[in-house]
Amino acid sequence: MKKTVSGMATRLAIIALALASLPAFASSDYPPAIWNSAASCNYSSRTAAISHVAIHTTQGSYASAISWFQNCAASVSAHYVIRSSDGQVTQMVTEANKAWHIGNSNGYTVGIEHEGYVNNPGVWYTSAMYNASSALTRDILASRGLAQKVYTGASGWNAVPADSLYNVKGHVNYAGQSHTDPGSGWDWPRYKTLVANGSGGGGGSTPTLTWPVVQSGNTGERVRTVQYLLQQWGYSLTVDGAFGNGTLTAVKNFQSSHGLGADGVVGNATWPALTILTQQGDSGAKVRAVQSQLRESGYAVTVDGIFGSGTYSAVRSFQSAKGLGVDGIVGDNTWSKFAW
């Protein structure tokens, strides 16, 4: 009997080793990620549509975060966990379900945990982590046709801007939270650039971009662009290409709401906050801004606010003519070429 039990134990050990050597399952939501489920007691069904992404810091190791989310004593979870050293991504809750990561904002958010500690960002917030996280966030937004409205940090690392202004924010930036992650060391401008797919493409944002100055008394296409973008941000004003009192007031209000100096002048500080990533399938005033600029540059597009195939083709042609990466996406690189 002892021999039989011993033989069975040996066989079980061999089977366990064989299973351990098998490749991890890939995530169905995000194929680059490894799937390693959180305990079912730590998440629930989602009833609201996903509209936002929440950036977290684990305040511990990658492995310990994964282990904790698999422990029912935790009563917490996140959709994804990212390793600092190499950017490895593990998914633990499907996006269709509600992870428990941000209290009253759980219902409409996807939570991404980043290995590390908020008080030591220089060690933990690596390039590999930023690159992996931004690619994941870009995929979450793009798969739902959501605009990339990444928090810039302009109002302060612990500010609580309205959800309508940004759909990618830190845990600390959502209303009613007690946590401070990802902390003051998270590089929001860098993250915004990376989410916009790097600096090379027309949909990207190069940190060294310069912008023209547009101010009270100016007229023309630049002013129309400012006015259309202000409309997209919810300001009520007429798009007439004339920078009058109504436009001046709207610009000052926009600057104030974004933590910028409210001088009414649209320059290097205001343009990047004002522009919104715009791509095929989008609609509204931001698309009219793109179309109006394209017409100014000689392209035969209709200013109808619908980013269809004609607008897409014209954007790609414009990007090629201006020496930009041709991706058909209007990010800061393309907006800057329009503005000049």
Side-chain angles (χ1 to χ4, degrees):
M1 185 65 162
K2 273 188 181 178
K3 191 170 182 180
T4 304
V5 171
S6 176
M8 184 178 296
T10 301
R11 287 194 295 274
L12 288 173
I14 291 171
I15 291 169
L17 284 170
L19 288 172
S21 67
L22 290 173
F25 289 108
S27 155
S28 58
D29 286 324
Y30 186 62
I34 295 167
W35 171 253
N36 192 354
S37 180
S40 60
C41 48
N42 286 335
Y43 63 88
S44 53
S45 298
R46 190 189 292 279
T47 57
I50 293 169
S51 58
H52 286 65
V53 175
I55 302 300
H56 299 274
T57 305
T58 59
Q59 291 300 104
S61 72
Y62 176 72
S64 66
I66 291 171
S67 177
W68 187 232
F69 294 159
Q70 293 174 329
N71 184 337
C72 286
S75 295
V76 293
S77 62
H79 293 91
Y80 297 94
V81 185
I82 301 181
R83 189 161 62 194
S84 172
S85 61
D86 58 1
Q88 180 176 292
V89 181
T90 290
Q91 182 175 15
M92 303 198 69
V93 178
T94 63
E95 293 176 17
N97 282 316
K98 179 172 67 176
W100 300 346
H101 61 106
I102 196 164
N104 57 7
S105 297
N106 283 332
Y108 61 93
T109 56
V110 171
I112 306 175
E113 288 279 359
H114 299 79
E115 181 184 25
Y117 296 86
V118 297
N119 62 353
N120 203 358
V123 170
W124 293 100
Y125 296 163
T126 62
S127 292
M129 176 181 280
Y130 276 119
N131 290 338
S133 177
S134 60
L136 171 58
T137 292
R138 184 166 60 249
D139 181 81
I140 292 166
L141 298 178
S143 66
R144 293 167 177 81
L146 297 171
Q148 295 179 359
K149 298 192 292 183
V150 181
Y151 183 50
T152 63
S155 300
W157 69 270
N158 59 350
V160 185
D163 282 353
S164 59
L165 295 178
Y166 302 104
N167 58 8
V168 180
K169 304 188 291 183
H171 191 159
V172 69
N173 306 123
Y174 284 84
Q177 305 301 318
S178 60
H179 289 218
T180 61
D181 53 314
S184 60
W186 185 263
D187 191 340
W188 283 111
R190 176 185 185 183
Y191 195 66
K192 178 182 178 181
T193 295
L194 289 170
V195 171
N197 205 12
S199 62
S205 176
T206 304
T208 56
L209 283 176
T210 58
W211 301 82
V213 172
V214 184
Q215 56 192 322
S216 186
N218 289 167
T219 59
E221 193 58 36
R222 289 175 183 165
V223 178
R224 264 190 291 275
T225 298
V226 169
Q227 291 170 330
Y228 274 128
L229 289 172
L230 286 168
Q231 280 190 345
Q232 186 69 41
W233 281 99
Y235 293 90
S236 179
L237 73 166
T238 301
V239 177
D240 57 8
F243 201 127
N245 289 334
T247 302
L248 177 64
T249 298
V251 168
K252 286 183 175 181
N253 288 339
F254 174 84
Q255 291 170 326
S256 180
S257 70
H258 283 73
L260 302 169
D263 58 5
V265 177
V266 181
N268 283 334
T270 302
W271 274 111
L274 186 63
T275 56
I276 304 170
L277 189 113
T278 308
Q279 56 195 320
Q280 191 166 19
D282 287 350
S283 60
K286 63 179 182 177
V287 179
R288 291 189 179 89
V290 170
Q291 293 167 329
S292 186
Q293 280 284 357
L294 287 168
R295 286 187 65 85
E296 180 75 4
S297 297
Y299 294 91
V301 297
T302 302
V303 182
D304 59 4
I306 306 296
F307 200 129
S309 58
T311 300
Y312 177 72
S313 296
V315 167
R316 290 177 62 87
S317 179
F318 176 86
Q319 290 171 330
S320 178
K322 297 297 182 180
L324 296 170
V326 178
D327 56 13
I329 300 170
V330 183
D332 281 353
N333 288 338
T334 303
W335 281 117
S336 178
K337 292 295 185 182
F338 278 151
W340 281 111

